[in-house]
Amino acid sequence: MAILLQRAGYRQVGIPQFADVLIVNTCGFIAQARGESLEMLESLAASLRPHQRLIAAGCWAQREPEALLSWAPELDAVIGTRSWHRLPQLVQALSEGTGERLVVTESRNMVMPEDAGVSGYARFGASAFLKIADGCSRQCAFCAIPAIKGPTMSRSLSGILDDARQLRDAGILEINLIAQDSTYYGHDLGMQDGLARLLEELVATVPEIPWIRVLYMFPGYVTPRLVDVMAAYDQLIPYVDIPLQHAHPDVLRRMRRPADVDAVRKTLDFVRARLPGVALRTTMIVGFPGETDAEFATLEAFVREQRFDRLGAFTYSHELGTPAGALDDNVPDDVKQERLDILMVAQQDISFEKNRAFVGKRLPVLLEGMGKGLTIGRTYRDAPEIDGLVLIYEEVPVDRMAEVVIVDALEYDLIGRLETS
Ligand code: SF4
């Protein structure tokens, strides 16, 4: 969207007060995300000047445009996630308009970046997120994404490789491949083992980029071939992110997710055996409708047994238009919160123990931010924005890789010292 606006002659400004048009890219995935989007809209609306226009874009705008207009009366327009490429026309229409509020939402399939003539990545420092597909063809009972975005649409291999070349030329050191379900990549294009093939092509095309990370793999689709490809190249970092959501087969069946927990155990064992030093991340949901104490106890035991390197957990929230939305949301909020706390405390101890095992070791770290006597970075075990950091108590140049000796460990972060020799 930013590139399209720039091409249409608009200029980005650093502070909202200086902008003629304010655009909030909303998230409509779960209640917490919607709350954050609304908070941002309200804070911008509170200091809106007469000539300024306020637009809500993104998933929530796609999902509930009319509701959004009534919750945020200062909004001038909403534009859904399937119409993102029409943003310049919308801004133009607002500037020429009569003050009428505009709604642009369509039920068409997602428009891929290359179809709109733009790249499919977002850069920050020496790192980038690179989109490989959008939408989701799975039908998890709790999830609104298939309704918001439609079925999986994979980007063309050539479009992704072109983007990767641009990122290499810009000196990017880490590519994070993203999709709602990365393991589905290429399926809709008729490709066999699409993700494995894409990874091989990426390694051959941009051998200069040291870290290529894959996020969001679907359980049951982390195939031996995929793991073998990851094992074969140093560039494909041993980081495996499989959101499992639960570990009791009955809950998984109600969630409409793969329910063979023994198969999941076998996959995790295989990944650990084939990818030495692998960082395993997962996500869990507590308080899904009907979750009993015994079902939760199975989940807690699984988390303690598997000792994931990274674990995120959420309390279940009813989402409009999802199959689970028709179920009785019968786990009380305080029980959901208590279960979340139990998982997070268990994981905190696991994470601390795992971090302590790194003290004294030397690791490559991507240095990213610096100031006030501190430099921060990440190891291959830390995906941007969600995992831990390495803290170095001195100011050094950033956006580069450096060898760092780990001198201390916190629950989620590590303390490091730059290796100078
Ligand atoms: S795979 Fe992920 S995005 Fe797709 S329906 Fe399930 S939870 Fe939602």
Side-chain angles (χ1 to χ4, degrees):
M1 289 193 288
I3 294 170
L4 288 176
L5 286 172
Q6 273 162 13
R7 280 193 194 152
Y10 298 95
R11 198 162 46 86
Q12 195 171 334
V13 294
I15 321 180
Q17 287 87 323
F18 295 158
D20 297 318
V21 182
L22 299 156
I23 301 158
V24 177
N25 200 24
T26 63
C27 180
F29 178 41
I30 52 174
Q32 189 186 328
R34 287 195 298 278
E36 284 168 21
S37 299
L38 189 58
E39 223 171 84
M40 175 57 74
L41 283 168
E42 285 172 345
S43 103
L44 291 173
S47 52
L48 209 60
R49 292 186 301 164
H51 74 279
Q52 289 185 309
R53 298 282 168 262
L54 181 60
I55 300 175
C59 287
W60 195 15
Q62 174 77 32
R63 190 179 176 195
E64 297 183 278
E66 300 301 336
L68 202 45
L69 285 174
S70 64
W71 278 318
E74 298 83 359
L75 269 176
D76 294 291
V78 293
I79 180 164
T81 188
R82 302 192 200 194
S83 314
W84 61 272
H85 57 296
R86 293 176 57 194
L87 185 60
Q89 290 93 311
L90 174 66
V91 172
Q92 181 70 22
L94 276 182
S95 68
E96 293 166 354
T98 55
E100 198 186 331
R101 303 170 96 194
L102 301 176
V103 176
V104 185
T105 54
E106 293 161 291
S107 56
R108 54 175 297 157
N109 282 336
M110 290 294 295
V111 173
M112 292 292 105
E114 45 269 53
D115 296 331
V118 295
S119 55
Y121 57 76
R123 287 170 46 185
F124 55 100
S127 187
F129 288 108
L130 175 53
K131 181 179 286 199
I132 60 171
D134 213 345
C136 189
S137 293
R138 315 250 184 234
Q139 296 294 328
C140 307
F142 52 81
C143 183
I145 284 177
I148 296 172
K149 295 203 159 192
T152 305
M153 304 257 309
S154 299
R155 295 187 59 202
S156 68
L157 204 53
S158 59
I160 298 170
L161 296 178
D162 279 349
D163 282 356
R165 284 187 202 96
Q166 286 178 29
L167 291 170
R168 174 202 58 200
D169 295 347
I172 289 295
L173 300 173
E174 176 191 47
I175 290 181
N176 299 282
L177 301 177
I178 52 167
Q180 265 72 38
D181 166 12
S182 305
T183 49
Y184 201 92
Y185 176 75
H187 195 78
D188 52 308
L189 303 177
M191 288 166 75
Q192 293 282 328
D193 284 316
L195 181 58
R197 199 175 139 202
L198 168 64
L199 291 176
E200 287 178 321
E201 296 271 355
L202 273 170
V203 166
T205 306
V206 288
E208 304 85 350
I209 297 184
W211 285 0
I212 298 176
R213 182 193 311 274
V214 184
L215 295 170
Y216 321 131
M217 300 177 180
F218 198 75
Y221 292 80
V222 181
T223 60
R225 160 124 165 81
L226 175 61
V227 179
D228 284 345
V229 169
M230 290 181 73
Y233 302 97
D234 286 347
Q235 271 179 284
L236 304 177
I237 53 180
Y239 181 99
V240 173
D241 170 24
I242 314 178
L244 293 171
Q245 312 302 4
H246 212 280
H248 193 291
D250 292 346
V251 181
L252 286 165
R253 265 189 285 275
R254 295 202 298 279
M255 288 178 162
R256 304 187 185 179
R257 304 263 307 175
D260 185 346
V261 180
D262 283 334
V264 168
R265 280 194 175 90
K266 280 192 193 128
T267 300
L268 295 174
D269 289 347
F270 180 68
V271 166
R272 287 188 179 105
R274 285 293 278 130
L275 303 175
V278 66
L280 271 167
R281 164 171 263 277
T282 194
T283 312
M284 299 294 184
I285 294 175
V286 297
F288 187 78
E291 185 191 57
T292 62
D293 286 343
E295 286 167 345
F296 174 70
T298 303
L299 171 58
E300 185 193 345
F302 182 81
V303 165
R304 291 184 188 280
E305 163 203 308
Q306 286 296 327
R307 298 175 58 77
F308 291 98
D309 299 271
R310 314 281 182 231
L311 180 125
F314 299 91
T315 53
Y316 171 79
S317 67
H318 249 0
E319 295 305 325
L320 193 78
T322 61
L327 302 175
D328 183 8
D329 187 9
N330 59 357
V331 180
D333 284 349
D334 58 335
V335 175
K336 285 181 185 167
Q337 190 57 48
E338 193 186 331
R339 290 176 182 173
L340 182 75
D341 293 345
I342 289 170
L343 278 199
M344 293 322 290
V345 168
Q347 182 60 27
Q348 198 170 343
D349 291 344
I350 295 167
S351 176
F352 187 37
E353 271 179 45
K354 290 198 171 234
N355 270 359
R356 271 199 312 218
F358 281 91
V359 174
K361 294 202 168 139
R362 182 187 153 125
L363 293 170
V365 169
L366 178 54
L367 302 175
E368 294 196 299
M370 181 264 285
K372 297 191 176 161
L374 185 72
T375 302
I376 56 169
R378 289 181 289 110
T379 70
Y380 74 91
R381 304 177 74 248
D382 308 306
E385 294 178 17
I386 42 171
D387 293 332
L389 297 171
V390 179
L391 314 174
I392 299 159
Y393 291 113
E394 62 175 312
E395 294 189 8
V396 296
V398 295
D399 294 337
R400 65 189 176 101
M401 290 279 183
E403 289 294 315
V404 170
V405 176
I406 304 304
V407 295
D408 205 353
L410 307 170
E411 273 88 355
Y412 299 112
D413 300 326
L414 296 168
I415 314 286
R417 191 188 61 230
L418 216 59
E419 186 76 331
T420 43
S421 61

